[in-house]
């Protein structure tokens, strides 16, 4: 079973700053089957990135994903107030099994 | 895009069972892989299980293996999740997720509260 570890636990940054979130897998993730989700209070998670780097439909281009093997990154190039949320990475692999990281909280100062 | 409507909030006593359903539209259920994910207060997202219509396979997370059953009624385009032997730490919002060729769509979530 793949374990995903996200860091940091919480980030507090100012509007316009660059945000880098990390997701490390306990073993290599085949085909870079890593997704990123954003969740705001009272809302369902929203897909941001599929297959490590492919933006989901309607996602602003300030969101980007990168990485391969065991190390993956979500970058927000210029933080906006509406980006304040929880962020989760997810591994979906070639089997049915999913795994989520424990999440990172992004706050606006 | 798939539209998903989940059943309403539930309040259950410890030891009881609960069934949460989700009706999909925009695609037929047989074209979609349905997964269930929950989020309890103070915790992150937890994957509970998923179904692959291609081969009929169902997989459950180890921690839910003996307490959870996922079913589908393709004639009604409705999927269901049953959780048995409820405990207070099962209090959470339960999400139905439909995965298709274009990505995944999430239901609005169903709050299940377990309290004596």
């Amino acid at each position: 079973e793949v374990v995903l570890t996200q860091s940091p636990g919480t980030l507090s940054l100012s509007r316009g700053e660059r945000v880098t979130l990390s997701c490390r897998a306990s073993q290599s993730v085949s085909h870079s089957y890593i997704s990123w989700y954003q969740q705001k209070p009272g809302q369902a998670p929203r897909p941001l990135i599929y297959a490590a780097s492919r933006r989901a439909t309607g996602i602003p281009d300030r969101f980007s994903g990168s990485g391969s093997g065991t190390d993956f990154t979500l970058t927000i190039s210029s933080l906006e107030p509406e980006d304040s949320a929880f962020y989760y990475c997810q591994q979906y692999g070639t089997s049915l099994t999913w795994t989520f990281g424990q999440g990172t909280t992004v706050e606006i100062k | 895009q798939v539209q998903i409507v989940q059943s309403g909030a539930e309040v259950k006593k410890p030891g009881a069972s609960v069934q949460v359903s989700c009706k999909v539209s925009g695609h037929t259920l047989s074209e979609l892989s349905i997964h269930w994910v929950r989020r309890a207060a103070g915790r992150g997202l937890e994957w509970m299980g998923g179904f692959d219509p291609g081969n009929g396979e169902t997989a459950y997370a180890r921690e839910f293996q003996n307490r959870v059953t996922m079913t589908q009624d393709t004639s009604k385009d409705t999927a269901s999740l049953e959780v048995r032997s409820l405990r207070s730490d099962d209090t959470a919002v339960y999400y139905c997720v439909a995965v298709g060729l274009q990505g995944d769509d999430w239901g609005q979530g169903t709050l299940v509260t377990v309290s004596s």
Side-chain angles (χ1 to χ4, degrees), chain A residues 45-106:
Chain A
R46 172 194 185 195
L48 297 175
I49 300 287
Y50 295 115
S53 60
R54 182 167 61 88
R55 261 190 306 275
T57 302
I59 300 303
D61 60 8
R62 66 179 181 275
F63 291 92
S64 64
S66 62
S68 64
T70 60
D71 290 301
F72 299 87
T73 300
L74 175 71
T75 301
I76 308 174
S77 60
S78 179
L79 192 63
E80 294 291 338
E82 61 266 30
D83 299 335
S84 179
F86 298 100
Y87 291 83
Y88 297 93
C89 61
Q90 176 218 39
Q91 174 267 334
Y92 52 101
T94 52
S95 70
L96 267 180
T97 304
W98 290 2
T99 308
F100 288 97
Q102 81 277 22
T104 292
T105 303
V106 174

Side-chain angles (χ1 to χ4, degrees), chain B residues 5-52:
Chain B
V5 177
Q6 296 187 217
S7 51
E10 302 266 11
V11 179
K12 295 292 183 181
K13 293 191 182 302
S17 299
V18 69
Q19 186 169 68
V20 179
S21 65
C22 73
K23 182 170 173 58
V24 305
S25 59
H27 286 270
T28 62
L29 195 63
S30 58
E31 299 173 318
L32 302 167
S33 177
I34 298 294
H35 292 252
W36 291 89
V37 175
R38 76 178 189 181
R39 186 174 182 195
R43 296 171 65 95
L45 298 175
E46 290 182 276
W47 177 76
M48 302 181 70
F51 173 77
D52 184 346

Side-chain angles (χ1 to χ4, degrees), chain A residues 3-73:
Chain A
V3 176
L4 300 179
T5 302
Q6 292 186 239
S7 61
T10 303
L11 265 180
S12 184
L13 296 169
S14 300
R15 183 177 188 170
E17 288 197 272
R18 183 180 182 88
V19 178
T20 301
L21 308 183
S22 172
C23 176
R24 179 160 292 175
S26 59
Q27 57 190 271
S28 184
V29 177
S30 61
H31 305 287
S32 295
Y33 283 153
I34 288 286
S35 291
W36 289 90
Y37 292 85
Q38 176 193 69
Q39 187 176 30
K40 298 180 180 180
Q43 297 183 17
R46 172 194 185 195
L48 297 175
I49 300 287
Y50 295 115
S53 60
R54 182 167 61 88
R55 261 190 306 275
T57 302
I59 300 303
D61 60 8
R62 66 179 181 275
F63 291 92
S64 64
S66 62
S68 64
T70 60
D71 290 301
F72 299 87
T73 300

